[in-house]
Amino acid sequence: MLFENRKQLSTLLLPAIVVLGLLTAYPIISVVYNAFLSVDIGSGQHHFVGMANFAELFDDFFFVTAIQNTLLFTVVASTAQVLLGLVLALLFHRNFPGRRFALPVIIYPMMISTLVCSSIWRSWYHYDFGFLNAAFVSVGLPPQEWLFNPDFALYAIAIVDTWQWTPMAFLIILAGLQSVPKDISDAAMVDGATGWKSTLYITLPLIQKQILLAFLLRSIDTFKLFDKVYVMTGGGPGNATETLSMFVYKYGFRFFDLGMASASSLVMLAISLAMTLIYAKRVMKGGKQ
Amino acid sequence: MNARVHGIVVWCCTGLFLLPIVWMFGTAFKSPNEILNAGASLLPTTLSFDSWLAVWQGSLFTLISNTVLVSLSATVVSVVVAFFAAYGLVRYRFPAKLDYLFLLLVLIIKMMPPIVVAIPLYSLMNQLSLLNSKAGLILAYQVYTLPFCIWMLLGFIRDIPLEIEEAGAMDGAHLFRRLLHIVFPLCAPGLVATSIFAMILGWNEFLFSLLFIHSPDKLTIPLFISNFMTEDGTAWGELMVIGIISSIPMLVLASYMQRYLLRGFSMGLK
């Protein structure tokens, strides 16, 4: 039995509706509105320009690069995180000495903040004094430019993101593995399936759902990429690590181009909305009880 | 793979994976001179507390108190507001599936890139004269923490058996008495877990503090780290000391909160 009292219900929901309305609904509506305006900074006058901002956006080399970079980053980083998370989860699914201590420790990277994480890796990538080049040289490899190599910088940031967030994919997939009934894997063993064969044909199909969820959650999150780029490369070299978030930031807070910034925000919102709806479809099926 | 090999492999992977964190702790205790000549060494040859001293003499306490104040206040606001909302969403009958629509909107807000609302939020803060103020930041953080808390608390309230409340309702317990005496105590562990996660969100937040805070006396830790990184090229010792100070509470929580980690990081969704 659920309660029916409408008055009580409105009292309960009102504070949340006010806060969310003011801080998110109103901003989103104004982004949508501004995306179709052109504002003259000097006079403050604005007029309706229809789809002109979007036309300009998709003609803009920097915007197209930002979209490509963001999508590439999203796919590469999320895939890497899910694959590594899967491998770790399979390793941790079986007991081993000290598992109790290793489990809380392996999730440390996602517990330290993105800024701390970026500060460690930015130091590691340093050409002259960085840990990575020192390690490379000590085993006879040539030092690398890392964040200053336009062909590699985006991947260098993807490595940092992967290091930080693999633990999350790991946790989701491990929970999936632990929910597989033991008799299924036992039955497979009796039928002669062992080692990687049993993993590939029996375990993986059973945790498909968790793998997909981990991938979706990580994609939604990697798509937002801002902090790491802001502090590690600032979008460079050139615009090799320019992302959509950086693009909106630059147009909104440096060039004060309200129309373009809003139009690109709207494109971001649409992509994020599409991913969220796919995710919501999978997690919101359950009823109230 | 036999058990022994398996154990060794897992521990090697774990060790390799944690190298950056080991390096962070090592570098914090290296002398500035050693940092530049350290090469691929993780740990200091001689313990040096220079970096700790430098951080201690800096604005450390202002930073910590700013960050704690903002994230704690944002958490309190969110948890209270979300507790009522989540309770309403779980326990009341909605017309036309409006509850699902509401939850979907909240989810969309949680998942959207925060930069999307940054510009209008900036002018809103400007109009309310809340730019460059902690109150403004606390308000802005609701964009992250409130949707998170609503979804997270939803799961915890669902776990409370409805029968207990029905009995209370039949005894004539009024809504707020029911909430206070029945739901709140039963939901307490969930409220604690949710609060801790909301604190973490606030503690680590960067974008809005970057956009809304200008004066040095109002910086939060992430914002300070960002400024430090771009201004002092290779003062990594101090950088890592600040990193450690900002990470220790989280690492302690990681062990304490293990049971809730999955729930927290996927927002109570399974």
Side-chain angles (χ1 to χ4, degrees), chain B residues 47-250:
Chain B
L47 274 185
S48 153
F49 292 92
D50 293 3
S51 310
W52 289 85
L53 211 63
V55 170
W56 183 266
Q57 284 158 350
S59 53
L60 183 66
F61 290 98
T62 324
L63 279 178
I64 294 181
S65 70
N66 286 347
T67 318
V68 170
L69 181 77
V70 175
S71 50
L72 192 65
S73 318
T75 300
V76 172
V77 175
S78 277
V79 170
V80 172
V81 173
F83 178 64
F84 290 130
Y87 179 77
L89 286 162
V90 173
R91 287 292 192 250
Y92 283 78
R93 201 180 298 284
F94 280 68
K97 290 202 168 183
L98 278 179
D99 45 349
Y100 285 92
L101 182 67
F102 185 83
L103 276 174
L104 184 63
L105 290 175
V106 172
L107 187 67
I108 290 168
I109 294 166
K110 176 66 182 79
M111 297 305 202
M112 83 185 170
I115 190 85
V116 165
V117 292
I119 298 166
L121 216 48
Y122 186 91
S123 31
L124 182 73
M125 294 293 168
N126 199 7
Q127 282 159 23
L128 299 171
S129 313
L130 286 173
L131 273 185
N132 197 25
S133 79
K134 287 174 206 159
L137 212 50
I138 293 166
L139 207 55
Y141 282 5
Q142 299 306 315
V143 173
Y144 307 95
T145 50
L146 186 54
F148 171 81
C149 290
I150 293 178
W151 266 96
M152 185 91 175
L153 284 174
L154 212 62
F156 287 112
I157 295 176
R158 267 186 198 138
D159 291 346
I160 302 173
L162 188 59
E163 293 73 29
I164 302 181
E165 269 189 75
E166 281 174 339
M170 268 185 229
D171 290 343
H174 192 262
L175 168 65
F176 287 100
R177 280 188 54 192
R178 209 165 64 217
L179 278 179
L180 192 65
H181 295 295
I182 302 172
V183 187
F184 180 73
L186 286 171
C187 194
L191 284 165
V192 173
T194 308
S195 306
I196 291 177
F197 278 105
M199 274 288 287
I200 296 177
L201 285 178
W203 183 261
N204 293 339
E205 202 283 336
F206 176 63
L207 179 66
F208 288 159
S209 43
L210 171 74
L211 297 178
F212 299 156
I213 298 293
H214 323 294
S215 21
D217 61 311
K218 290 180 185 133
L219 296 186
T220 60
I221 295 177
L223 191 52
F224 179 81
I225 293 178
S226 156
N227 293 348
F228 197 95
M229 271 163 85
T230 36
E231 284 156 21
D232 301 69
T234 48
W236 294 341
E238 288 169 58
L239 195 57
M240 292 309 130
V241 170
I242 299 162
I244 290 171
I245 293 172
S246 122
S247 307
I248 291 283
M250 306 299 125

Side-chain angles (χ1 to χ4, degrees), chain A residues 15 44 54 63 74 106 122-123 171 181 186 230 264 271 273:
Chain A
F54 293 94
F63 181 75
T74 303
I106 198 131
R122 192 169 178 248
S123 316
L171 280 180
D186 286 348
Y230 181 86
S264 48
I271 298 174
L273 187 67

Side-chain angles (χ1 to χ4, degrees), chain A residues 10-277:
Chain A
S10 347
T11 319
L12 287 166
L13 284 183
L14 194 65
I17 291 175
V18 170
V19 176
L20 289 177
L22 180 71
L23 296 173
T24 56
Y26 159 74
I28 290 174
I29 291 166
S30 80
V31 162
V32 174
Y33 178 71
N34 290 334
F36 300 96
L37 294 182
S38 169
V39 182
D40 185 78
I41 310 177
S43 62
Q45 280 187 328
H46 43 76
H47 54 275
F48 186 76
V49 291
M51 299 300 284
N53 286 330
F54 293 94
E56 196 181 333
L57 215 51
F58 284 97
D59 264 346
D60 186 317
F61 172 71
F62 292 102
F63 181 75
V64 174
T65 314
I67 281 211
Q68 285 169 347
N69 285 344
T70 309
L71 294 181
L72 180 68
F73 179 86
T74 303
V75 172
V76 169
S78 317
T79 309
Q81 288 163 30
V82 170
L83 286 180
L84 280 174
L86 176 64
V87 171
L88 278 179
L90 287 169
L91 283 172
F92 270 76
H93 186 47
R94 247 178 78 182
N95 202 14
F96 60 90
R99 181 179 184 275
R100 219 157 56 83
F101 303 103
L103 202 56
V105 167
I106 198 131
I107 57 169
Y108 276 3
M110 80 175 183
M111 297 304 292
I112 67 177
S113 80
T114 300
L115 265 289
V116 175
C117 198
S118 311
S119 69
I120 297 175
W121 280 90
R122 192 169 178 248
S123 316
W124 271 39
Y125 283 139
H126 195 282
Y127 187 84
D128 295 311
F129 310 119
F131 178 82
L132 286 180
N133 275 352
F136 265 47
V137 170
S138 72
V139 294
L141 290 166
Q144 301 295 314
E145 301 223 273
W146 307 110
L147 295 169
F148 288 99
N149 175 351
D151 295 325
F152 190 75
L154 194 68
Y155 295 97
I157 296 177
I159 290 174
V160 183
D161 200 79
T162 302
W163 178 73
Q164 190 187 4
W165 290 109
T166 292
M168 180 172 155
F170 160 76
L171 280 180
I172 296 174
I173 296 169
L174 185 64
L177 281 173
Q178 283 166 349
S179 67
V180 172
K182 186 135 193 345
D183 41 333
I184 295 187
S185 41
D186 286 348
M189 208 118 83
V190 173
D191 289 343
T194 49
W196 66 270
K197 251 189 178 165
S198 133
T199 308
L200 194 62
Y201 295 111
I202 295 152
T203 317
L204 284 189
L206 288 169
I207 53 166
Q208 237 177 29
K209 188 183 151 216
Q210 280 82 6
I211 293 176
L212 190 70
L213 279 184
F215 185 76
L216 274 170
L217 272 172
R218 290 313 307 144
S219 304
I220 291 170
D221 199 43
T222 46
F223 179 71
K224 301 174 184 174
L225 181 69
F226 177 81
D227 304 8
K228 291 188 183 77
V229 172
Y230 181 86
V231 294
M232 294 180 81
T233 63
N239 56 352
T241 56
E242 209 66 70
T243 64
L244 285 172
S245 286
M246 281 298 281
F247 185 90
V248 176
Y249 169 76
K250 284 184 177 167
Y251 270 75
F253 292 91
R254 290 201 188 150
F255 312 149
F256 306 107
D257 189 335
L258 188 63
M260 285 286 269
S262 303
S264 48
S265 295
L266 204 56
V267 173
M268 275 194 95
L269 188 62
I271 298 174
S272 141
L273 187 67
M275 291 194 285
T276 307
L277 289 179

